[in-house]
Amino acid sequence: VVIIRHGKTTHNKLGLFTGWEDAQLAPEGRAEAAAAGALMRAHGVEVDVVYTSWLTRAIETAWLVLSPLDALWVTIHKSWRLNERMYGRLTGLSKRMIKQKHGDDQFMKWRRGYRERPPPASPFSPFYPGNDERYQKYLHRKFPRAESLKDCMDRTIPYYQNTIYPQTIAKNRTVLIASSENAIRGLLMHLCDIPIANISNVEIPTGVPLIYDI
């Protein structure tokens, strides 16, 4: 399993909460993703299939990784279940501002808390996924207004276990999973048996391929 967090985005550079907002890769992020593909090629890592979120930053990262591998023909499966954690009303706000206003402890609970959810987005907010035409058109369901890490894991881990694993790893195929920080944090927690008390300390850099040998 090759797991990669999307390359650096414009929101990352500005220190903003991103969540389900469809932030674009910054030039540095595109360079990180291409370098990741080149690094994988140098070490002989090949990819048979790709899974990404519905967010452009993850999809573009996957394409840029595949290019140096001469593997642009590989099938890419996209699922909202690999989307970043939904940050509710914090979406688009400055992390520095939230920390100054609410203090370090509350900031960390909202940013990386396992069970703590940030303040929910209004159902009328442009940041609520139910108001996004793509989700309305293709996914007829109730979407989260805010998520804890556990909430995020409740959709990513079953998708990994019931879809990704049987379609790839169980068939001895190498899979690239391109996603976002908290979706990956939960996946690593599951794969590596990381305790709840330690998961907030796990740092996941942008654009670096993490190789997990089953």
Side-chain angles (χ1 to χ4, degrees), residues 4-10 12-13 24-36 57 60-62 64-65 206-208:
I4 187 167
R5 180 184 175 192
H6 59 77
K8 187 173 292 184
T9 67
T10 50
N12 294 146
K13 292 178 66 176
Q24 304 296 307
L25 290 182
E28 299 94 319
R30 289 191 286 272
E32 287 174 341
R57 56 189 183 269
E60 186 177 359
T61 294
L64 291 166
V65 169
T206 56
V208 176

PDB file of all heavy atoms in Angstrom, residues 4-10 12-13 24-36 57 60-62 64-65 206-208:
ATOM      1  N   ILE A   4      -0.331   8.527   0.104  1.00  0.00           N
ATOM      2  CA  ILE A   4       0.268   9.857  -0.053  1.00  0.00           C
ATOM      3  C   ILE A   4      -0.768  10.939   0.265  1.00  0.00           C
ATOM      4  O   ILE A   4      -1.905  10.888  -0.198  1.00  0.00           O
ATOM      5  CB  ILE A   4       0.849  10.051  -1.471  1.00  0.00           C
ATOM      6  CG1 ILE A   4       1.628  11.368  -1.552  1.00  0.00           C
ATOM      7  CG2 ILE A   4      -0.231   9.978  -2.544  1.00  0.00           C
ATOM      8  CD1 ILE A   4       2.480  11.488  -2.809  1.00  0.00           C
ATOM      9  N   ARG A   5      -0.343  11.861   1.089  1.00  0.00           N
ATOM     10  CA  ARG A   5      -1.160  13.062   1.304  1.00  0.00           C
ATOM     11  C   ARG A   5      -0.940  13.974   0.101  1.00  0.00           C
ATOM     12  O   ARG A   5       0.177  14.075  -0.428  1.00  0.00           O
ATOM     13  CB  ARG A   5      -0.726  13.780   2.584  1.00  0.00           C
ATOM     14  CG  ARG A   5      -1.532  15.041   2.893  1.00  0.00           C
ATOM     15  CD  ARG A   5      -0.987  15.754   4.114  1.00  0.00           C
ATOM     16  NE  ARG A   5      -1.676  17.023   4.342  1.00  0.00           N
ATOM     17  CZ  ARG A   5      -1.267  17.957   5.189  1.00  0.00           C
ATOM     18  NH1 ARG A   5      -0.156  17.766   5.900  1.00  0.00           N
ATOM     19  NH2 ARG A   5      -1.948  19.088   5.328  1.00  0.00           N
ATOM     20  N   HIS A   6      -1.996  14.618  -0.352  1.00  0.00           N
ATOM     21  CA  HIS A   6      -1.894  15.523  -1.501  1.00  0.00           C
ATOM     22  C   HIS A   6      -0.760  16.523  -1.321  1.00  0.00           C
ATOM     23  O   HIS A   6      -0.346  16.829  -0.196  1.00  0.00           O
ATOM     24  CB  HIS A   6      -3.213  16.281  -1.692  1.00  0.00           C
ATOM     25  CG  HIS A   6      -3.601  17.087  -0.478  1.00  0.00           C
ATOM     26  ND1 HIS A   6      -3.013  18.298  -0.164  1.00  0.00           N
ATOM     27  CD2 HIS A   6      -4.508  16.845   0.494  1.00  0.00           C
ATOM     28  CE1 HIS A   6      -3.531  18.769   0.951  1.00  0.00           C
ATOM     29  NE2 HIS A   6      -4.449  17.909   1.377  1.00  0.00           N
ATOM     30  N   GLY A   7      -0.270  17.052  -2.423  1.00  0.00           N
ATOM     31  CA  GLY A   7       0.752  18.085  -2.368  1.00  0.00           C
ATOM     32  C   GLY A   7       0.226  19.356  -1.699  1.00  0.00           C
ATOM     33  O   GLY A   7      -0.982  19.523  -1.494  1.00  0.00           O
ATOM     34  N   LYS A   8       1.134  20.230  -1.358  1.00  0.00           N
ATOM     35  CA  LYS A   8       0.782  21.469  -0.658  1.00  0.00           C
ATOM     36  C   LYS A   8      -0.207  22.296  -1.484  1.00  0.00           C
ATOM     37  O   LYS A   8      -0.061  22.451  -2.694  1.00  0.00           O
ATOM     38  CB  LYS A   8       2.035  22.285  -0.380  1.00  0.00           C
ATOM     39  CG  LYS A   8       1.826  23.514   0.483  1.00  0.00           C
ATOM     40  CD  LYS A   8       3.146  24.167   0.846  1.00  0.00           C
ATOM     41  CE  LYS A   8       3.936  23.273   1.781  1.00  0.00           C
ATOM     42  NZ  LYS A   8       5.202  23.918   2.231  1.00  0.00           N
ATOM     43  N   THR A   9      -1.238  22.812  -0.819  1.00  0.00           N
ATOM     44  CA  THR A   9      -2.260  23.614  -1.487  1.00  0.00           C
ATOM     45  C   THR A   9      -2.117  25.087  -1.124  1.00  0.00           C
ATOM     46  O   THR A   9      -1.338  25.468  -0.240  1.00  0.00           O
ATOM     47  CB  THR A   9      -3.668  23.157  -1.075  1.00  0.00           C
ATOM     48  OG1 THR A   9      -3.869  23.460   0.326  1.00  0.00           O
ATOM     49  CG2 THR A   9      -3.863  21.671  -1.309  1.00  0.00           C
ATOM     50  N   THR A  10      -2.894  25.896  -1.797  1.00  0.00           N
ATOM     51  CA  THR A  10      -2.924  27.326  -1.473  1.00  0.00           C
ATOM     52  C   THR A  10      -3.411  27.532  -0.043  1.00  0.00           C
ATOM     53  O   THR A  10      -2.912  28.403   0.675  1.00  0.00           O
ATOM     54  CB  THR A  10      -3.852  28.050  -2.453  1.00  0.00           C
ATOM     55  OG1 THR A  10      -5.112  27.365  -2.510  1.00  0.00           O
ATOM     56  CG2 THR A  10      -3.258  28.059  -3.849  1.00  0.00           C
ATOM     57  N   ASN A  12      -3.031  25.374   2.472  1.00  0.00           N
ATOM     58  CA  ASN A  12      -1.930  24.969   3.357  1.00  0.00           C
ATOM     59  C   ASN A  12      -0.943  26.108   3.541  1.00  0.00           C
ATOM     60  O   ASN A  12      -0.476  26.373   4.653  1.00  0.00           O
ATOM     61  CB  ASN A  12      -1.194  23.757   2.781  1.00  0.00           C
ATOM     62  CG  ASN A  12      -2.020  22.494   2.735  1.00  0.00           C
ATOM     63  OD1 ASN A  12      -1.870  21.690   1.818  1.00  0.00           O
ATOM     64  ND2 ASN A  12      -2.912  22.289   3.688  1.00  0.00           N
ATOM     65  N   LYS A  13      -0.622  26.796   2.469  1.00  0.00           N
ATOM     66  CA  LYS A  13       0.346  27.888   2.532  1.00  0.00           C
ATOM     67  C   LYS A  13      -0.171  29.040   3.396  1.00  0.00           C
ATOM     68  O   LYS A  13       0.611  29.709   4.075  1.00  0.00           O
ATOM     69  CB  LYS A  13       0.660  28.390   1.125  1.00  0.00           C
ATOM     70  CG  LYS A  13       1.430  27.395   0.271  1.00  0.00           C
ATOM     71  CD  LYS A  13       1.672  27.924  -1.136  1.00  0.00           C
ATOM     72  CE  LYS A  13       2.587  29.131  -1.131  1.00  0.00           C
ATOM     73  NZ  LYS A  13       2.899  29.607  -2.501  1.00  0.00           N
ATOM     74  N   GLN A  24      -7.026  24.150  -4.417  1.00  0.00           N
ATOM     75  CA  GLN A  24      -6.156  23.712  -5.514  1.00  0.00           C
ATOM     76  C   GLN A  24      -4.713  23.522  -5.032  1.00  0.00           C
ATOM     77  O   GLN A  24      -4.275  24.131  -4.058  1.00  0.00           O
ATOM     78  CB  GLN A  24      -6.172  24.755  -6.637  1.00  0.00           C
ATOM     79  CG  GLN A  24      -7.559  25.057  -7.170  1.00  0.00           C
ATOM     80  CD  GLN A  24      -8.198  23.843  -7.826  1.00  0.00           C
ATOM     81  OE1 GLN A  24      -7.603  23.227  -8.705  1.00  0.00           O
ATOM     82  NE2 GLN A  24      -9.405  23.501  -7.405  1.00  0.00           N
ATOM     83  N   LEU A  25      -3.979  22.668  -5.742  1.00  0.00           N
ATOM     84  CA  LEU A  25      -2.559  22.515  -5.448  1.00  0.00           C
ATOM     85  C   LEU A  25      -1.809  23.801  -5.774  1.00  0.00           C
ATOM     86  O   LEU A  25      -2.064  24.439  -6.792  1.00  0.00           O
ATOM     87  CB  LEU A  25      -1.953  21.378  -6.270  1.00  0.00           C
ATOM     88  CG  LEU A  25      -2.349  19.941  -5.929  1.00  0.00           C
ATOM     89  CD1 LEU A  25      -1.588  18.975  -6.831  1.00  0.00           C
ATOM     90  CD2 LEU A  25      -2.093  19.620  -4.473  1.00  0.00           C
ATOM     91  N   ALA A  26      -0.889  24.160  -4.897  1.00  0.00           N
ATOM     92  CA  ALA A  26       0.026  25.258  -5.175  1.00  0.00           C
ATOM     93  C   ALA A  26       1.139  24.724  -6.095  1.00  0.00           C
ATOM     94  O   ALA A  26       1.319  23.518  -6.221  1.00  0.00           O
ATOM     95  CB  ALA A  26       0.627  25.785  -3.874  1.00  0.00           C
ATOM     96  N   PRO A  27       1.894  25.619  -6.754  1.00  0.00           N
ATOM     97  CA  PRO A  27       3.017  25.137  -7.583  1.00  0.00           C
ATOM     98  C   PRO A  27       3.954  24.214  -6.811  1.00  0.00           C
ATOM     99  O   PRO A  27       4.434  23.209  -7.356  1.00  0.00           O
ATOM    100  CB  PRO A  27       3.712  26.434  -8.004  1.00  0.00           C
ATOM    101  CG  PRO A  27       2.615  27.469  -7.989  1.00  0.00           C
ATOM    102  CD  PRO A  27       1.727  27.087  -6.844  1.00  0.00           C
ATOM    103  N   GLU A  28       4.196  24.523  -5.532  1.00  0.00           N
ATOM    104  CA  GLU A  28       5.045  23.661  -4.709  1.00  0.00           C
ATOM    105  C   GLU A  28       4.426  22.282  -4.547  1.00  0.00           C
ATOM    106  O   GLU A  28       5.127  21.260  -4.508  1.00  0.00           O
ATOM    107  CB  GLU A  28       5.256  24.272  -3.317  1.00  0.00           C
ATOM    108  CG  GLU A  28       5.940  25.632  -3.326  1.00  0.00           C
ATOM    109  CD  GLU A  28       4.953  26.786  -3.308  1.00  0.00           C
ATOM    110  OE1 GLU A  28       3.917  26.697  -4.010  1.00  0.00           O
ATOM    111  OE2 GLU A  28       5.207  27.764  -2.589  1.00  0.00           O
ATOM    112  N   GLY A  29       3.089  22.234  -4.431  1.00  0.00           N
ATOM    113  CA  GLY A  29       2.394  20.963  -4.266  1.00  0.00           C
ATOM    114  C   GLY A  29       2.492  20.084  -5.497  1.00  0.00           C
ATOM    115  O   GLY A  29       2.656  18.860  -5.395  1.00  0.00           O
ATOM    116  N   ARG A  30       2.393  20.708  -6.671  1.00  0.00           N
ATOM    117  CA  ARG A  30       2.545  19.936  -7.909  1.00  0.00           C
ATOM    118  C   ARG A  30       3.972  19.386  -8.025  1.00  0.00           C
ATOM    119  O   ARG A  30       4.176  18.247  -8.459  1.00  0.00           O
ATOM    120  CB  ARG A  30       2.186  20.808  -9.117  1.00  0.00           C
ATOM    121  CG  ARG A  30       0.681  21.088  -9.202  1.00  0.00           C
ATOM    122  CD  ARG A  30       0.314  21.715 -10.533  1.00  0.00           C
ATOM    123  NE  ARG A  30       0.728  23.109 -10.602  1.00  0.00           N
ATOM    124  CZ  ARG A  30      -0.009  24.133 -10.183  1.00  0.00           C
ATOM    125  NH1 ARG A  30      -1.200  23.920  -9.654  1.00  0.00           N
ATOM    126  NH2 ARG A  30       0.431  25.369 -10.307  1.00  0.00           N
ATOM    127  N   ALA A  31       4.941  20.194  -7.614  1.00  0.00           N
ATOM    128  CA  ALA A  31       6.336  19.733  -7.650  1.00  0.00           C
ATOM    129  C   ALA A  31       6.553  18.587  -6.663  1.00  0.00           C
ATOM    130  O   ALA A  31       7.268  17.620  -6.968  1.00  0.00           O
ATOM    131  CB  ALA A  31       7.281  20.893  -7.324  1.00  0.00           C
ATOM    132  N   GLU A  32       5.928  18.669  -5.475  1.00  0.00           N
ATOM    133  CA  GLU A  32       6.047  17.591  -4.485  1.00  0.00           C
ATOM    134  C   GLU A  32       5.496  16.279  -5.033  1.00  0.00           C
ATOM    135  O   GLU A  32       6.109  15.210  -4.872  1.00  0.00           O
ATOM    136  CB  GLU A  32       5.271  17.959  -3.215  1.00  0.00           C
ATOM    137  CG  GLU A  32       5.906  19.023  -2.347  1.00  0.00           C
ATOM    138  CD  GLU A  32       5.032  19.435  -1.184  1.00  0.00           C
ATOM    139  OE1 GLU A  32       3.803  19.187  -1.230  1.00  0.00           O
ATOM    140  OE2 GLU A  32       5.565  20.008  -0.218  1.00  0.00           O
ATOM    141  N   ALA A  33       4.332  16.344  -5.677  1.00  0.00           N
ATOM    142  CA  ALA A  33       3.700  15.132  -6.198  1.00  0.00           C
ATOM    143  C   ALA A  33       4.543  14.502  -7.302  1.00  0.00           C
ATOM    144  O   ALA A  33       4.728  13.278  -7.340  1.00  0.00           O
ATOM    145  CB  ALA A  33       2.297  15.459  -6.714  1.00  0.00           C
ATOM    146  N   ALA A  34       5.071  15.321  -8.219  1.00  0.00           N
ATOM    147  CA  ALA A  34       5.925  14.802  -9.287  1.00  0.00           C
ATOM    148  C   ALA A  34       7.197  14.188  -8.712  1.00  0.00           C
ATOM    149  O   ALA A  34       7.652  13.128  -9.179  1.00  0.00           O
ATOM    150  CB  ALA A  34       6.264  15.921 -10.269  1.00  0.00           C
ATOM    151  N   ALA A  35       7.759  14.822  -7.682  1.00  0.00           N
ATOM    152  CA  ALA A  35       8.967  14.292  -7.039  1.00  0.00           C
ATOM    153  C   ALA A  35       8.675  12.966  -6.348  1.00  0.00           C
ATOM    154  O   ALA A  35       9.523  12.065  -6.317  1.00  0.00           O
ATOM    155  CB  ALA A  35       9.518  15.303  -6.037  1.00  0.00           C
ATOM    156  N   ALA A  36       7.469  12.833  -5.800  1.00  0.00           N
ATOM    157  CA  ALA A  36       7.075  11.571  -5.155  1.00  0.00           C
ATOM    158  C   ALA A  36       7.054  10.439  -6.170  1.00  0.00           C
ATOM    159  O   ALA A  36       7.530   9.332  -5.894  1.00  0.00           O
ATOM    160  CB  ALA A  36       5.710  11.725  -4.492  1.00  0.00           C
ATOM    161  N   ARG A  57      -7.423  18.265  -5.198  1.00  0.00           N
ATOM    162  CA  ARG A  57      -6.022  18.228  -4.773  1.00  0.00           C
ATOM    163  C   ARG A  57      -5.495  16.793  -4.680  1.00  0.00           C
ATOM    164  O   ARG A  57      -4.325  16.537  -4.975  1.00  0.00           O
ATOM    165  CB  ARG A  57      -5.856  18.951  -3.432  1.00  0.00           C
ATOM    166  CG  ARG A  57      -6.718  18.442  -2.275  1.00  0.00           C
ATOM    167  CD  ARG A  57      -6.594  19.396  -1.090  1.00  0.00           C
ATOM    168  NE  ARG A  57      -7.308  18.984   0.108  1.00  0.00           N
ATOM    169  CZ  ARG A  57      -8.551  19.332   0.391  1.00  0.00           C
ATOM    170  NH1 ARG A  57      -9.253  20.060  -0.479  1.00  0.00           N
ATOM    171  NH2 ARG A  57      -9.126  18.971   1.542  1.00  0.00           N
ATOM    172  N   GLU A  60      -5.405  15.359  -8.520  1.00  0.00           N
ATOM    173  CA  GLU A  60      -4.267  15.896  -9.279  1.00  0.00           C
ATOM    174  C   GLU A  60      -2.953  15.333  -8.760  1.00  0.00           C
ATOM    175  O   GLU A  60      -2.040  15.038  -9.548  1.00  0.00           O
ATOM    176  CB  GLU A  60      -4.262  17.423  -9.208  1.00  0.00           C
ATOM    177  CG  GLU A  60      -3.196  18.050 -10.097  1.00  0.00           C
ATOM    178  CD  GLU A  60      -3.222  19.577 -10.090  1.00  0.00           C
ATOM    179  OE1 GLU A  60      -4.083  20.166  -9.407  1.00  0.00           O
ATOM    180  OE2 GLU A  60      -2.368  20.157 -10.778  1.00  0.00           O
ATOM    181  N   THR A  61      -2.843  15.166  -7.442  1.00  0.00           N
ATOM    182  CA  THR A  61      -1.640  14.567  -6.873  1.00  0.00           C
ATOM    183  C   THR A  61      -1.418  13.166  -7.436  1.00  0.00           C
ATOM    184  O   THR A  61      -0.300  12.799  -7.825  1.00  0.00           O
ATOM    185  CB  THR A  61      -1.743  14.505  -5.332  1.00  0.00           C
ATOM    186  OG1 THR A  61      -1.744  15.844  -4.801  1.00  0.00           O
ATOM    187  CG2 THR A  61      -0.573  13.731  -4.721  1.00  0.00           C
ATOM    188  N   ALA A  62      -2.499  12.380  -7.521  1.00  0.00           N
ATOM    189  CA  ALA A  62      -2.382  11.023  -8.058  1.00  0.00           C
ATOM    190  C   ALA A  62      -1.881  11.045  -9.503  1.00  0.00           C
ATOM    191  O   ALA A  62      -0.982  10.278  -9.872  1.00  0.00           O
ATOM    192  CB  ALA A  62      -3.726  10.313  -7.969  1.00  0.00           C
ATOM    193  N   LEU A  64      -0.100  13.336 -10.973  1.00  0.00           N
ATOM    194  CA  LEU A  64       1.293  13.782 -11.020  1.00  0.00           C
ATOM    195  C   LEU A  64       2.253  12.709 -10.519  1.00  0.00           C
ATOM    196  O   LEU A  64       3.403  12.647 -10.960  1.00  0.00           O
ATOM    197  CB  LEU A  64       1.446  15.069 -10.208  1.00  0.00           C
ATOM    198  CG  LEU A  64       0.773  16.308 -10.817  1.00  0.00           C
ATOM    199  CD1 LEU A  64       0.673  17.433  -9.798  1.00  0.00           C
ATOM    200  CD2 LEU A  64       1.532  16.770 -12.055  1.00  0.00           C
ATOM    201  N   VAL A  65       1.804  11.874  -9.588  1.00  0.00           N
ATOM    202  CA  VAL A  65       2.625  10.752  -9.123  1.00  0.00           C
ATOM    203  C   VAL A  65       2.758   9.701 -10.221  1.00  0.00           C
ATOM    204  O   VAL A  65       3.833   9.140 -10.445  1.00  0.00           O
ATOM    205  CB  VAL A  65       2.013  10.124  -7.853  1.00  0.00           C
ATOM    206  CG1 VAL A  65       2.699   8.797  -7.518  1.00  0.00           C
ATOM    207  CG2 VAL A  65       2.141  11.079  -6.666  1.00  0.00           C
ATOM    208  N   THR A 206       2.998  16.765   3.389  1.00  0.00           N
ATOM    209  CA  THR A 206       2.395  16.789   2.052  1.00  0.00           C
ATOM    210  C   THR A 206       3.341  16.182   1.027  1.00  0.00           C
ATOM    211  O   THR A 206       4.555  16.374   1.091  1.00  0.00           O
ATOM    212  CB  THR A 206       2.054  18.232   1.628  1.00  0.00           C
ATOM    213  OG1 THR A 206       3.251  19.029   1.692  1.00  0.00           O
ATOM    214  CG2 THR A 206       0.986  18.831   2.510  1.00  0.00           C
ATOM    215  N   GLY A 207       2.777  15.418   0.103  1.00  0.00           N
ATOM    216  CA  GLY A 207       3.522  14.961  -1.061  1.00  0.00           C
ATOM    217  C   GLY A 207       4.613  13.937  -0.806  1.00  0.00           C
ATOM    218  O   GLY A 207       5.502  13.784  -1.638  1.00  0.00           O
ATOM    219  N   VAL A 208       4.554  13.227   0.314  1.00  0.00           N
ATOM    220  CA  VAL A 208       5.569  12.204   0.610  1.00  0.00           C
ATOM    221  C   VAL A 208       4.919  10.821   0.570  1.00  0.00           C
ATOM    222  O   VAL A 208       3.975  10.564   1.317  1.00  0.00           O
ATOM    223  CB  VAL A 208       6.214  12.431   1.987  1.00  0.00           C
ATOM    224  CG1 VAL A 208       7.182  11.296   2.319  1.00  0.00           C
ATOM    225  CG2 VAL A 208       6.922  13.769   2.046  1.00  0.00           C
TER     226      VAL A 208
END
